[in-house]
Amino acid sequence: MRLDVVTIFPDYLRVLELSLIGKAAGTGLIDLAVHDLRRWAHDRHRTVDDTPLGGGAGMVMRPDVWGEALDTVLDLPAERAAAREAATGRRRAGTRQVLVVPTPAGEVFTQRTAEDLAHADQVVFACGRYEGIDARVPEHYRQLGVEVRELSIGDYVLNGGEVAALVIIEAVARLRPGVLGNPDSVVEESHSRAGLLEYPVHTRPVSWRGHDLATSWPGLLSGNHPRVARERRERAIARTADRRPDMVARLDAQHLDGKDRAALAHNGWAVPRGAAHPVPLSLRRALAEDVPGLVVLARRTFPDACPSFLTTEQVTEHMDRHLTAERLGAWQADPRVIVTLACLTEDTPAEAGPVRAGEPVGYSVVILEAEDDAGALPAGLDPRPAAVNVPHRPAGGPGLAAELSKVYVDARLRGSGLVDVLLSEAVRGACALGVTTLWLGTHDGNRRAHKAYRRSGFVKVGTRRYDVGGQSCRDVVMTLSPGACDPQQPVWSGR
Ligand code: SAM
């Protein structure tokens, strides 16, 4: 690959003699040449600029000087230039020549641009100074058929194009075969094809100034390579969601597996079935105005979780008794009940119909076994099964039980990890209110639900009978003691 830089400050580019790029130039992997633009100036002062036509501050670089310089460096002598007007932009058959004009007014230079330029045979950089290069210069070479890229390295203004050229050269050259010692280094990096930032990296010592990886990230030291790879990917997802939500919004849903989706959900993004990209997720306590939407969601999701032996009449009778606006409204208004709802923040097309922004797509209900001033328990609290043990508070004193009464997710969001997030939030909410045991009953045959509860730390402690529309069903009873949890931290496997 041949790289040419045209500048009024050739010494600026001497840093290219250092490090891996310098080594690549030294061994002939890259052929690097820096040219002083003033070589093509004609007056005694070697002037390369003039005042702006139309007036205004600063100076503009002259097109005639740049024209002669670029004709030479691109190997386009003036007499041959006209003949190239209809040409393809290729100097010789099979070679690709690119003229890069750094400018804050250009398209933003990205890793994709670097990957593309790494396939060129020659890249020529025209480094502007002052107010920039006369705009006819890039236009002219484009008209001649030269591939011209006006590139910005970011939304800020530098004094000259040299730093931008250095940035582009370094990003491009390291992608050329042989320049980096280990070619795998570029595969998992930030901004690679995966579209994520890289996971945080660490080296020895394992414990440094109180930052102990054995505690904060034991999986990293497990020696279990698939586990390390999985946890690194989850941390890459978390980091990208935190720092670059714009990148998460562009992730291709087809390349996200179930675990990726779960990690995204824990970081505030959902991928509905059939959606092209992740969508921001909102999780919050339900308000009074959410109750009608919650009733619709509750009545749509309950039948999905029912065993097939229940009749439609039995399921409907149960919903008419327990999933009413009165019941959900009472829960929403009762401080002893935590009703959390999840919704997407944007209208999203999905496989089984679009999801509207703000429409509830998941909810959970935690009911505390606490009496009000009149000695009454919250409405709809199921009798606590005998198998549920209520441990004392860690500091002593009586414990507090709560029933995880509901965790339901709309079918369009199934597989998005939303169930685990609602569970984490339910556990966190219960923990914050001093609950020492959280229990639930779920139908014996609902293996998917059992798996989700186990993932969140629930363990089976027994069974109970549960009535649905007059039909007695067998439920598995599971409990979790959130006593050890940090109310600030969502509880989930990846953290
Ligand atoms: N008047 C120009 C404008 O507002 O767009 C800015 C000119 S700047 C002071 C001088 C030169 O610095 C530009 O011609 C370009 O070569 C370089 N430059 C400045 N900021 C840049 C950026 N963000 N990306 C690439 N090149 C930049």
Side-chain angles (χ1 to χ4, degrees):
M1 172 180 240
R2 163 98 184 172
L3 298 173
D4 290 274
V5 184
V6 186
T7 166
I8 59 168
F9 292 124
D11 283 350
Y12 218 118
L13 282 298
R14 292 192 61 174
V15 289
L16 289 174
E17 292 163 17
L18 307 172
S19 186
L20 289 173
I21 311 294
K23 210 165 127 198
T27 57
L29 280 173
I30 289 170
D31 181 9
L32 183 70
V34 180
H35 313 270
D36 185 351
L37 176 70
R38 294 195 195 275
R39 210 181 109 194
W40 288 278
H42 292 294
D43 65 330
R44 206 156 51 89
H45 301 292
R46 307 213 296 160
T47 310
V48 296
D49 57 333
D50 206 337
T51 53
L53 290 177
M59 301 295 275
V60 177
M61 297 188 105
R62 293 172 59 123
D64 49 348
V65 180
W66 270 108
E68 286 187 38
L70 293 176
D71 287 350
T72 308
V73 176
L74 289 162
D75 192 15
L76 295 176
E79 62 271 19
R80 277 177 44 199
R84 284 184 55 95
E85 261 174 56
T88 58
R90 297 186 188 243
R91 192 164 50 159
R92 289 181 297 278
T95 60
R96 181 176 164 210
Q97 201 176 26
V98 184
L99 171 60
V100 170
V101 183
T103 163
E107 65 173 293
V108 176
F109 175 71
T110 65
Q111 189 66 17
R112 298 292 87 74
T113 329
E115 286 163 3
D116 177 47
L117 291 179
H119 292 112
D121 299 287
Q122 184 192 17
V123 185
V124 175
F125 294 87
C127 299
R129 281 266 152 185
Y130 319 121
E131 291 308 317
I133 302 173
D134 186 303
R136 288 168 294 181
V137 172
E139 194 185 309
H140 171 72
Y141 286 96
R142 226 172 249 131
Q143 278 171 2
L144 289 186
V146 174
E147 184 179 340
V148 179
R149 304 289 294 269
E150 293 183 77
L151 296 178
S152 164
I153 60 161
D155 292 347
Y156 41 78
V157 179
L158 305 164
N159 280 339
E162 291 75 13
V163 170
L166 286 170
V167 166
I168 297 170
I169 289 170
E170 184 148 325
V172 170
R174 67 196 294 282
L175 298 177
R176 295 285 297 187
V179 173
L180 292 190
N182 179 358
D184 287 346
S185 306
V186 299
V187 177
E188 272 198 337
E189 283 183 321
S190 299
H191 308 295
S192 60
R193 295 268 158 192
L196 295 169
L197 300 178
E198 195 183 48
Y199 47 80
V201 294
H202 302 91
T203 185
R204 272 168 291 276
V206 170
S207 180
W208 175 75
R209 297 190 179 179
H211 303 265
D212 188 0
L213 291 165
T215 320
S216 63
W217 193 352
L220 186 64
L221 310 171
S222 65
N224 174 341
H225 297 298
R227 177 176 171 193
V228 171
R230 185 70 246 167
E231 291 187 9
R232 281 182 163 164
R233 186 160 168 87
E234 285 174 3
R235 290 199 182 220
I237 288 172
R239 200 184 216 192
T240 312
D242 180 40
R243 299 179 181 182
R244 292 293 302 273
D246 59 309
M247 288 173 64
V248 176
R250 288 197 300 269
L251 287 174
D252 183 345
Q254 285 185 342
H255 298 142
L256 300 169
D257 65 17
K259 288 182 174 160
D260 293 339
R261 288 164 195 246
L264 280 165
H266 280 287
N267 288 281
W269 292 81
V271 191
R273 284 164 170 243
H277 307 284
V279 186
L281 182 66
S282 155
L283 225 65
R284 59 177 173 78
R285 286 290 281 268
L287 304 171
E289 59 261 37
D290 295 318
V291 170
L294 274 174
V295 174
V296 173
L297 177 67
R299 296 184 68 100
R300 195 168 62 234
T301 50
F302 180 75
D304 288 349
C306 286
S308 53
F309 60 76
L310 289 175
T311 64
T312 308
E313 291 70 33
Q314 287 168 331
V315 172
T316 308
E317 191 197 318
H318 179 90
M319 294 197 297
D320 288 347
R321 185 129 36 112
H322 300 287
L323 297 178
T324 60
E326 291 71 34
R327 172 59 56 79
L328 281 150
W331 279 342
Q332 185 279 323
D334 190 332
R336 298 167 297 169
V337 182
I338 313 168
V339 184
T340 304
L341 81 78
C343 55
L344 304 185
T345 59
E346 291 167 12
D347 288 347
T348 309
E351 208 172 75
V355 182
R356 278 177 296 104
E359 169 194 355
V361 288
Y363 77 112
S364 68
V365 178
V366 174
I367 310 175
L368 268 59
E369 197 181 294
E371 293 174 357
D372 62 14
D373 293 343
L377 290 168
L381 173 69
D382 290 334
R384 171 158 41 92
V388 176
N389 164 42
V390 187
H392 278 47
R393 288 176 199 280
L400 176 62
E403 179 186 4
L404 177 57
S405 171
K406 312 266 178 270
V407 181
Y408 285 97
V409 166
D410 188 291
R412 290 167 293 176
L413 270 293
R414 222 172 262 154
S416 69
L418 183 52
V419 168
D420 290 21
V421 177
L422 281 165
L423 275 168
S424 298
E425 281 301 310
V427 172
R428 190 155 65 128
C431 178
L433 293 180
V435 168
T436 59
T437 193
L438 188 60
W439 68 270
L440 62 89
T442 179
H443 184 255
D444 199 16
N446 194 347
R447 302 265 172 260
R448 196 173 54 214
H450 299 175
K451 219 169 130 192
Y453 293 132
R454 274 199 303 271
R455 267 200 311 271
S456 292
F458 283 85
V459 287
K460 180 181 169 182
V461 293
T463 58
R464 71 167 179 180
R465 303 302 307 180
Y466 188 67
D467 181 277
V468 179
Q471 170 70 54
S472 174
C473 303
R474 193 178 124 101
D475 267 4
V476 165
V477 175
M478 301 177 98
T479 64
L480 177 137
S481 292
C485 88
D486 172 358
Q488 301 307 317
Q489 271 295 317
V491 180
W492 66 288
S493 53
R495 286 198 184 165

